[in-house]
Amino acid sequence: MRKSLSLVAVVTAAAALVVTPGTSSAAPVRQVKWVACPADVALGDLECGTLQVPLDYREPHGRQTEVMISKLASKNPEKRKGVLLTNPGGPAEGLTFPFLLKALGLPQSVLDAYDVIGMDPRGIGFSSPSTCDMTEEQMADGSIPPYANNSAEVRQRADEVKKIAEQCLRSSSADELPYNTTANIARDLDSVRAALGEKKASYLGYSYGSYLGSVYATLFPKTSDRVVIDSNLPKGGWDVEGGRLMGRGVEDTFPDFAKWAAAHPEYNLGTTPQQVRAKFFDLAARLDEKPSVEGIDGRVFRLSTFTSLYATGDAAFSALAASWKAYDTGQPQPPVEYPEVPRVQALLAGRLNVMCGDSAWPSSVRTYERNVEIDRLRHPMFGAAAANIQPCAFWPKPVEKQVLPSDRGPRNVLLVQNERDPATPLAAARSTRRAFGDRAAMITIDQGGHGAYVIGKNKCANDEVTEYLLGGQRPNDTKCAAETS
């Protein structure tokens, strides 16, 4: 099976409709039906429930779809403030995220103050899952485009993603695809809030969840309470320009690893950061010419390096360095376990629904050829992957106008951002921060990696966010220094 990785796409059969952003107040308020959690979601004290929500919020009494939520309930009624809606990014499954946050060290004070709510977004996981009837080879392509060495490879990829789009159009869930958008997921969140009997809800979201939080705060300024968005996409979310920023993110983040590797000669990757960077290009070229013993080529090597930069520190960097050393010496890589196929199918299809339905992507293949040519020079490590053609190029016009962050509303948005992030660089966060204007403030942290609050272990940032979630007094723009211990 070919191991190159790319963003898979779908095409919907939607007509050109116009949906006006607004609240879900027109939809009837339904109750959560509490059910047993699925086997692989039944972790700790998680409770699970389902909720019927409108497929199309313009027709609140029309066809319904189902979302599944989870709850990690506060065990301290005297300190409980309400609910904290969460999203882990992706778009991906979110039912286990409250349990994961607790395991990562979400402060007990926050666990006491809130019922922490997870949700599988519509079309993903256990929430009316989508399908595109992908083959195993198509599913192995994942969610990030392959590095394109030339225009011919862009055109070849265009043919591949167009075929997947056609499959999605014929799939059993094709009629739902136009409505599996971030705007409707935000409306689902507000429906969950109402169904739980809460006048307001707070929110904590990472990566893609930052854009979901931006849309939620924009569409529901009166019912959103304290909104924390971490590892931020730009104001337009994962659109064509947001995707291209991953090339910049790798360039921002890689020097941290290069400095570390240069200080660890046992891996023989170079004695200076410049030599480690040169080794990257050397390995990519060698693997393109002769793939590894597992069939890994230079494109997959670039992608694996990109995803490895999500984590920082000795453990993460030593694992990445060991992987490079294995490639360099012709040794096998550690085996990788993949999730079960049906869940991957729903994840990839649902993710593409959202990406391609949120905004209009360029339809000209030549546009992507040009973007790749530019970003191959501008961000040579990963730019020609991040700018490569997405299946969204073959998507019809979205059913509603792209939702951008608004500066109208309460000053209740707090961005948290590592200065060096491979997937959502600081430039992206600054875009969202500007769009919110005085509604928002931003904490920037002198560290790398994807994920800051709780994940990044920076005490300055963690204390600021925790204090906001507990007290409601949003800080001003703040910079947190790197921690040396």
Side-chain angles (χ1 to χ4, degrees):
M1 179 178 6
R2 183 170 57 82
K3 296 291 186 179
S4 66
L5 298 149
S6 71
L7 181 64
V8 189
V10 297
V11 173
T12 72
L17 303 175
V18 177
V19 178
T20 302
T23 73
S24 60
S25 58
V29 176
R30 294 185 171 86
Q31 299 298 312
V32 174
K33 179 182 178 181
W34 297 104
V35 298
C37 290
D40 55 352
V41 179
L43 302 171
D45 295 325
L46 280 182
E47 305 171 51
C48 293
T50 59
L51 181 67
Q52 297 293 311
V53 296
L55 179 65
D56 178 359
Y57 276 86
R58 299 170 312 141
E59 299 180 4
H61 298 279
R63 181 178 170 183
Q64 305 293 295
T65 190
E66 184 175 87
V67 295
M68 178 171 278
I69 68 169
S70 63
K71 180 174 72 172
L72 186 61
S74 166
K75 295 182 178 180
N76 195 329
E78 293 182 357
K79 294 185 178 180
R80 184 186 180 279
K81 297 178 181 295
V83 297
L84 179 65
L85 307 171
T86 66
N87 182 276
E93 300 172 356
L95 290 179
T96 61
F97 196 48
F99 176 86
L100 177 60
L101 285 170
K102 181 179 179 179
L104 287 170
L106 187 68
Q108 186 61 48
S109 56
V110 177
L111 295 170
D112 287 341
Y114 294 99
D115 294 341
V116 184
I117 307 298
M119 184 178 79
D120 279 359
R122 55 169 61 199
I124 295 176
F126 293 97
S127 292
S128 302
S130 303
T131 182
C132 286
D133 299 321
M134 297 183 200
T135 65
E136 288 190 28
E137 183 178 14
Q138 289 170 333
M139 286 188 287
D141 283 349
S143 297
I144 306 295
Y147 190 92
N149 291 290
N150 49 56
S151 291
E153 291 184 2
V154 178
R155 293 192 294 270
Q156 177 184 349
R157 186 60 191 161
D159 292 337
E160 295 172 357
V161 298
K162 184 177 182 181
K163 181 178 180 180
I164 295 172
E166 292 169 349
Q167 292 172 204
C168 296
L169 180 59
R170 297 191 300 265
S171 75
S172 58
S173 58
D175 59 340
E176 299 179 6
L177 304 191
Y179 310 104
N180 290 352
T181 63
T182 298
N184 278 334
I185 296 170
R187 294 174 181 122
D188 293 343
L189 287 175
D190 200 61
S191 293
V192 169
R193 172 203 60 77
L196 293 174
E198 301 288 337
K199 292 182 178 180
K200 289 189 174 185
S202 293
Y203 177 87
L204 172 63
Y206 297 75
S207 194
Y208 161 77
S210 70
Y211 179 59
L212 174 58
S214 294
V215 174
Y216 177 62
T218 298
L219 296 183
F220 300 100
K222 294 182 179 180
T223 55
S224 59
D225 192 5
R226 302 157 198 186
V227 176
V228 178
I229 50 179
D230 192 308
S231 303
N232 294 269
L233 283 168
K235 65 180 182 180
W238 196 346
D239 58 9
V240 64
E241 293 304 321
R244 290 179 71 181
L245 280 175
M246 294 179 187
R248 178 171 180 174
V250 172
E251 300 288 347
D252 288 348
T253 309
F254 184 78
D256 287 352
F257 170 70
K259 181 179 179 181
W260 185 94
H264 290 77
E266 65 269 25
Y267 296 102
N268 197 30
L269 302 178
T271 58
T272 67
Q274 293 77 16
Q275 290 178 352
V276 176
R277 181 179 174 89
K279 177 64 74 174
F280 172 87
F281 293 105
D282 172 60
L283 289 174
R286 284 162 51 189
L287 289 167
D288 271 335
E289 183 177 347
K290 182 182 179 181
S292 72
V293 292
E294 301 91 354
I296 301 299
D297 61 16
R299 295 179 297 176
V300 180
F301 165 73
R302 290 176 185 267
L303 177 63
S304 65
T305 298
F306 162 68
T307 56
S308 295
L309 293 173
Y310 275 42
T312 62
D314 287 345
F317 285 165
S318 62
L320 178 56
S323 174
W324 277 31
K325 184 177 181 180
Y327 285 126
D328 195 28
T329 57
Q331 300 301 308
Q333 295 286 314
V336 178
E337 295 184 6
Y338 295 97
E340 57 180 307
V341 169
R343 298 280 285 279
V344 176
Q345 182 83 240
L347 171 65
L348 295 179
R351 181 174 296 176
L352 290 167
N353 299 169
V354 173
M355 289 178 54
C356 304
D358 277 353
S359 62
W361 290 64
S363 59
S364 168
V365 176
R366 178 56 191 149
T367 297
Y368 297 92
E369 293 180 46
R370 183 170 57 252
N371 289 349
V372 164
E373 184 177 357
I374 292 170
D375 287 3
R376 189 187 300 115
L377 298 175
R378 183 166 57 179
H379 306 306
M381 299 189 76
F382 201 64
N388 200 358
I389 191 166
Q390 308 279 30
C392 302
F394 303 99
W395 205 271
K397 183 178 179 181
V399 299
E400 66 176 299
K401 185 178 179 181
Q402 184 178 18
V403 180
L404 301 177
S406 171
D407 59 1
R408 297 183 178 181
R411 302 174 66 180
N412 66 336
V413 180
L414 179 61
L415 288 75
V416 193
Q417 182 69 37
N418 293 331
E419 291 185 352
R420 299 175 298 284
D421 185 315
T424 56
L426 182 58
R430 285 172 171 164
S431 166
T432 296
R433 170 69 181 84
R434 287 192 298 269
F436 270 122
D438 290 341
R439 286 196 69 187
M442 184 162 74
I443 300 170
T444 55
I445 310 157
D446 182 9
Q447 65 185 22
H450 191 55
Y453 179 56
V454 178
I455 298 171
K457 308 303 180 184
N458 182 279
K459 187 176 185 303
C460 164
N462 287 345
D463 287 351
E464 290 277 9
V465 176
T466 297
E467 185 176 347
Y468 175 53
L469 288 174
L470 296 179
Q473 185 63 40
R474 196 206 65 194
N476 295 321
D477 290 336
T478 304
K479 289 188 177 182
C480 289
E483 295 190 348
T484 58
S485 59

